[in-house]
Amino acid sequence: MLCRDVFGETLNESRDPDHGQSDRYTSRFFLKHSSIEQAFDMLQEQGFKLVASCGSGTAGGNVAELKPGVDLEENRWNHYNEFVFVRE
């Protein structure tokens, strides 16, 4: 598996407890890193390059800096980030 080749023992695999009514096996993968930069470094060491990224939502800031319509505490941590890596 490519994930195991890149991340080695820092990759934690577990069963997905929220797989619905299906009896199929599902799994989740988690990285044991304390910061995302550690994962990025491991990807670079294996020949991957970051080619795209995007994000949405608001994380942090004070009331004056929040986007219109954003709740305070509930949405402070509601964000999504995506990073795309390729290996040539």
Side-chain angles (χ1 to χ4, degrees), residues 69-84:
V70 174
D71 294 337
L72 291 177
E73 191 62 31
E74 290 80 17
N75 285 333
R76 183 166 294 176
W77 307 110
N78 184 20
H79 59 277
Y80 173 80
N81 295 306
E82 181 176 332
F83 303 95
V84 179

Side-chain angles (χ1 to χ4, degrees), residues 7-77:
F7 297 111
E9 293 301 315
T10 65
L11 184 67
N12 184 14
E13 181 178 3
S14 66
R15 286 186 174 257
D16 183 354
D18 188 24
H19 62 270
Q21 300 299 319
S22 173
D23 60 353
R24 296 180 297 159
Y25 174 81
T26 59
S27 62
R28 289 183 178 177
F29 296 93
F30 300 93
L31 293 175
K32 300 176 185 177
H33 300 124
S34 58
S35 68
I36 195 168
E37 290 82 6
Q38 291 172 298
F40 288 2
D41 288 345
M42 293 181 87
L43 285 162
Q44 182 185 20
E45 290 168 3
Q46 293 294 319
F48 286 86
K49 294 183 180 182
L50 179 65
V51 294
S53 65
C54 66
S56 64
T58 302
N62 62 35
V63 177
E65 295 174 347
L66 291 177
K67 297 175 185 175
V70 174
D71 294 337
L72 291 177
E73 191 62 31
E74 290 80 17
N75 285 333
R76 183 166 294 176
W77 307 110

